[in-house]
Amino acid sequence: MIISLLFILLLATQAFALPVNEYMLDNGLKVLIVEDHKAPTATFQIWYRVGSRNEKTGKTGLSHLLEHMMFKGTKNHGPKIFSQTVQRAGGTDNAFTSKDYTGYFELLASDRISLPIELEADRMQNLVLTKESVLSERDVVMEERRLRYDDDPQNFVMEEVFAAAFKNHSYRWPVIGWMSDLRTLNPDDLISHYKAYYAPNNAVIIVVGDVNQQEILGRIKSVFGSIPAGPLLPEAVPEEDEQKGERRIYVKKEAELPYVLSVYKVPNITHQDGFALDVLGSILSDGKSSRLYRSLVYEKQIAISAWAGYEGLYKDPFLFFSGATAGQGKKIEDVEKALLDEIEKIKNELPSVQEVQRAKNQVEASFIMQQDSIYMQAKTIGSFEMSVGWRFIDKYLEGIRTVTPEDVSRVAKKYLIDERKTTGILIPLAREVGNEKNR
């Protein structure tokens, strides 16, 4: 079984060596192309180097709202025309916003992949942003925020933990924005945000699939090449001050079960400790044989879920997570103590060579197997490019393979400490009878 897994990993690793071809247009637009002729399909993606990280206090949520507005029409194409055009051609399209970037993608038969090129170029420069349309879509986002965060106790706790963990850095606010900022949003701020960040020199185009790279590059040049570069955007994100001790927050909301979330400040994946932190997260949390599940859920039976993980694919240093949901009738204090006990155990006792190797295999297999589609290949390239550069993809797997048991315990001792920790506790409130009747 072990030989079989290693053989599969070897083959997958060889197949995963993506032959990325990089080009740079005169206006600063970067183009990354991967030819993959296994199936007659292709994906066209355009990524902008802007997310909630680039917003300011009092003006949060602009990047996510702008993503919504990109589907509301341009001077040349009316509302919903973009998606309808792609769908009529048998394709799909969508978008996503994160703390570091915003991305848009189309997936089509390869003989129709040139279709989104003109559409994306059009909405890069000709988006219609009227006061009425912006405020109307703002209301849609506010409702989305209510459903996904305000009415979701665990997501609400996570927002509060981020806000407490980061004092200076803009990672402290949610991608969707604070409700108070959305409520008072000025459409002119969104227009300025669009003009500043949606420009060729702040974007990367990624094409993966059954294409001829010279033909698709020529098409991209002819359509995007004439768009002028935007202003140079200085990095204005403040560094985070050193934390001096644990920060704790308590949230009382209607909920079924108590919940605990602890986050620790850690470097991003380009740091030499990033690989060991990734393996540490796998040892603690990957699968039902992981330490947290086995201890808290299976053996002690005090939690219905327990997890941990390293979030290192960010432009700036981010967080290592650990959390658990208490079982019915169980005390959250006991759950938190059990979480901490497992973390202390891995600090003080080296994990076995076999346990570390199993975790490394899981990390590597998960990373490779998720690239089974051209869409995910492109998304992997994009997420690396926006944070640490696409060339780091090869270094990532190499780094994971070098991790030792000593590395795992060392990074746990170095980073999973009170001076780097922020903890949030969800205290459930019983639903009021009146609220029950209104549901």
Side-chain angles (χ1 to χ4, degrees):
M1 179 64 182
I2 294 176
I3 294 176
S4 176
L5 176 60
L6 291 175
F7 181 68
I8 291 172
L9 282 173
L10 178 61
L11 290 178
T13 303
Q14 292 173 342
F16 184 69
L18 296 174
V20 180
N21 300 278
E22 178 179 318
Y23 305 92
M24 185 72 76
L25 274 57
D26 292 341
N27 57 7
L29 176 64
K30 182 182 287 190
V31 182
L32 304 174
I33 302 173
V34 176
E35 289 193 34
D36 185 336
H37 301 289
K38 290 193 294 291
T41 58
T43 182
F44 182 94
Q45 303 185 4
I46 183 164
W47 297 58
Y48 293 93
R49 300 183 190 277
V50 57
S52 59
R53 174 181 178 274
N54 305 95
E55 296 162 3
K56 305 298 181 186
T57 301
K59 300 181 186 297
T60 64
L62 290 176
S63 300
H64 176 254
L65 176 58
L66 185 52
E67 176 211 316
H68 278 236
M69 295 304 301
M70 287 283 278
F71 294 89
K72 298 303 175 181
T74 69
K75 298 174 183 177
N76 303 313
H77 300 92
K80 300 182 180 181
I81 296 298
F82 188 105
S83 294
Q84 289 174 357
T85 302
V86 172
Q87 290 165 11
R88 279 198 296 268
T92 60
D93 71 307
N94 215 323
F96 43 83
T97 307
S98 78
K99 291 185 180 295
D100 288 331
Y101 52 79
T102 308
Y104 303 85
F105 70 87
E106 294 78 41
L107 184 63
L108 292 138
S110 53
D111 60 354
R112 301 184 179 184
I113 197 60
S114 61
L115 177 65
I117 296 178
E118 290 190 8
L119 294 173
E120 290 289 9
D122 181 36
R123 65 179 180 178
M124 176 186 276
Q125 53 188 331
N126 296 316
L127 201 62
V128 174
L129 296 172
T130 65
K131 178 179 179 180
E132 293 74 21
S133 64
V134 169
L135 292 180
S136 175
E137 195 61 28
R138 182 275 315 267
D139 292 343
V140 173
V141 172
M142 288 174 67
E143 183 60 25
E144 178 186 352
R145 209 211 119 75
R146 290 186 190 96
L147 293 173
R148 291 176 55 189
Y149 296 94
D150 296 348
D151 292 342
D152 186 312
Q154 292 191 3
N155 279 346
F156 190 87
V157 170
M158 185 171 290
E159 277 193 342
E160 295 296 307
V161 167
F162 284 3
F166 293 102
K167 294 297 184 183
N168 296 333
H169 199 287
S170 47
Y171 283 161
R172 72 187 308 268
W173 46 68
V175 172
I176 201 167
W178 296 120
M179 186 66 86
S180 57
D181 290 347
L182 293 172
R183 191 176 294 115
T184 59
L185 183 138
N186 185 340
D188 289 340
D189 290 331
L190 190 71
I191 295 171
S192 298
H193 198 70
Y194 173 63
K195 290 181 178 179
Y197 291 102
Y198 278 55
N201 52 312
N202 200 50
V204 178
I205 286 176
I206 303 170
V207 181
V208 177
D210 183 29
V211 298
N212 178 293
Q213 62 177 296
Q214 292 304 321
E215 289 181 3
I216 201 74
L217 177 64
R219 185 62 179 155
I220 291 170
K221 283 182 176 180
S222 68
V223 176
F224 281 89
S226 61
I227 301 175
L232 294 178
L233 301 169
E235 280 289 325
V237 177
E239 292 187 9
E240 186 68 16
D241 289 336
E242 182 181 359
Q243 190 170 332
K244 300 297 185 181
E246 182 183 4
R247 300 167 184 165
R248 294 182 71 87
I249 61 111
Y250 295 86
V251 172
K252 295 183 178 181
K253 281 184 72 69
E254 291 183 359
E256 297 296 330
L257 297 168
Y259 169 73
V260 57
L261 172 66
S262 289
V263 300
Y264 303 82
K265 291 196 181 76
V266 290
N268 75 1
I269 195 64
T270 60
H271 191 279
Q272 61 181 1
D273 292 335
F275 307 115
L277 285 164
D278 213 346
V279 174
L280 171 61
S282 179
I283 290 173
L284 290 173
S285 188
D286 273 359
K288 292 187 176 181
S289 63
S290 65
R291 293 193 176 199
L292 293 184
Y293 184 92
R294 188 174 65 245
S295 176
L296 277 71
V297 180
Y298 182 71
E299 294 175 356
K300 295 185 174 70
Q301 297 185 7
I302 59 174
I304 62 171
S305 67
W307 53 276
Y310 170 58
E311 294 287 336
L313 201 57
Y314 281 77
K315 195 172 182 67
D316 299 319
F318 198 55
L319 301 168
F320 187 100
F321 293 72
S322 69
T325 301
Q328 191 70 45
K330 304 300 182 181
K331 294 181 180 179
I332 197 62
E333 295 84 0
D334 295 337
V335 175
E336 182 181 9
K337 182 180 183 302
L339 273 177
L340 294 175
D341 286 347
E342 289 302 317
I343 289 173
E344 290 303 310
K345 188 181 299 182
I346 208 165
K347 290 181 185 179
N348 299 321
E349 301 173 15
L350 288 183
S352 69
V353 172
Q354 292 80 7
E355 185 178 24
V356 171
Q357 188 60 53
R358 183 168 62 248
K360 289 159 62 174
N361 289 346
Q362 287 175 321
V363 171
E364 186 168 348
S366 176
F367 182 76
I368 293 171
M369 299 308 176
Q370 72 177 358
Q371 319 305 325
D372 63 351
S373 69
I374 57 172
Y375 166 75
M376 284 307 302
Q377 288 180 31
K379 193 167 185 182
T380 297
I381 294 168
S383 58
F384 271 82
E385 172 62 23
M386 291 292 110
S387 52
V388 298
W390 69 265
R391 297 180 189 277
F392 198 81
I393 293 174
D394 292 336
K395 296 179 182 178
Y396 174 71
L397 291 181
E398 293 172 3
I400 292 296
R401 294 173 188 143
T402 65
V403 175
T404 66
E406 290 78 10
D407 292 331
V408 173
S409 286
R410 177 180 57 80
V411 296
K413 290 177 183 177
K414 182 176 180 180
Y415 297 105
L416 306 192
I417 57 177
D418 285 350
E419 288 76 13
R420 291 176 171 268
K421 181 168 69 169
T422 302
T423 297
I425 302 290
L426 171 63
I427 302 173
L429 297 178
R431 289 195 175 98
E432 297 179 6
V433 176
N435 288 347
E436 288 289 348
K437 289 180 179 178
N438 291 331
R439 290 177 184 273

